[in-house]
Amino acid sequence: MRKIIVCTFLSLDGVMQAPGGPDEDAESGFEHGGWQKPVSDDEVGAAVAGWYEPSDAMLLGRKTYDIFAAYWPTADPGNPFTERMNSTRKYVASRTLTSLEWENSTLLEGDVADAVRELKASDGGDINVVGSGDLAQTLMRNDLVDEYRLTIHPVIIGTGKRLFADGAVPTALEPVSVSTTKSGTVVGVYRPTGKPSYDSYQG
């Protein structure tokens, strides 16, 4: 069974919107695009590169696909991520796209949750969900996320799309590995273990 792994940059207050640049995603008037690079470091880059080693595919929503497809095909070939991003198999969930131009991209058909269940049952390595906040919400609601790989950066954004938004399914998590980089970024890998338990400090 293949694993579905959500890989996401987060601010300390849980915002995942537009970490990569000012024009990445200005939806709902978001004015903080590009917040991640100033609070990152080479240890974060090394950790994220390691996340891709056991995977052989990405699962993307339409907005993230559009951003990546506009950048990576003509990106600097000297960037170690360029070849990987272009050659990796991409599965795209979209209600509006009818064709995909970026190489090695496949449009999922029918219900997204059903299509992802089929992917999980197919042959292959792990599948990374990169960005794609709306898609991640759908996957979480349908209990399809096997692991979270998160970089949590020392900055508060205050507004924007959050990975664990209001209405997120209550879930207990098992820490697989947690470390802190020299810039203060927490690099955490967590696996869902079912519903959370509850207790009280009062005797």
Side-chain angles (χ1 to χ4, degrees):
M1 183 72 73
R2 304 171 81 175
K3 291 194 299 185
I4 301 296
I5 301 170
V6 171
C7 302
T8 303
F9 302 132
L10 298 177
S11 67
L12 191 61
D13 56 334
V15 174
M16 63 179 295
Q17 187 170 353
D23 301 321
E24 184 176 344
D25 179 6
E27 187 174 339
S28 300
F30 188 69
E31 298 178 345
H32 305 285
W35 56 264
Q36 191 257 348
K37 186 175 181 181
V39 290
S40 191
D41 58 45
D42 55 358
E43 293 176 50
V44 172
V48 173
W51 291 352
Y52 287 84
E53 291 304 320
S55 69
D56 63 5
M58 291 188 293
L59 180 57
L60 306 172
R62 181 192 60 80
K63 292 175 184 176
T64 300
Y65 172 82
D66 285 345
I67 293 167
F68 284 5
Y71 176 78
W72 287 110
T74 58
D76 178 7
N79 182 334
F81 274 99
T82 299
E83 192 280 331
R84 177 179 287 276
M85 296 295 282
N86 288 319
S87 64
T88 294
R89 171 61 57 190
K90 277 80 67 174
Y91 297 101
V92 183
S94 172
R95 299 184 184 90
T96 57
L97 294 176
T98 57
S99 63
L100 305 175
E101 302 300 325
W102 192 14
E103 63 179 301
N104 299 314
S105 296
T106 301
L107 189 63
L108 296 180
E109 297 181 356
D111 180 78
V112 171
D114 289 341
V116 173
R117 289 188 188 97
E118 290 185 16
L119 280 178
K120 284 170 63 74
S122 65
D123 294 332
D126 297 340
I127 302 171
N128 288 351
V129 181
V130 184
S132 308
D134 292 342
L135 174 59
Q137 305 301 315
T138 298
L139 299 176
M140 288 188 285
R141 285 195 301 269
N142 286 275
D143 194 27
L144 289 169
V145 177
D146 297 290
E147 192 167 283
Y148 295 94
R149 297 180 181 177
L150 311 175
T151 62
I152 304 168
H153 298 269
V155 61
I156 294 171
I157 302 301
T159 62
K161 301 173 188 174
R162 288 171 166 80
L163 176 61
F164 302 111
D166 288 349
V169 177
T171 305
L173 299 172
E174 170 192 12
V176 177
S177 64
V178 181
S179 61
T180 304
T181 73
K182 59 190 176 186
S183 67
T185 294
V186 175
V187 179
V189 179
Y190 307 90
R191 289 179 187 151
T193 58
K195 295 181 179 180
S197 55
Y198 304 92
D199 203 343
S200 172
Y201 287 102
Q202 299 177 354

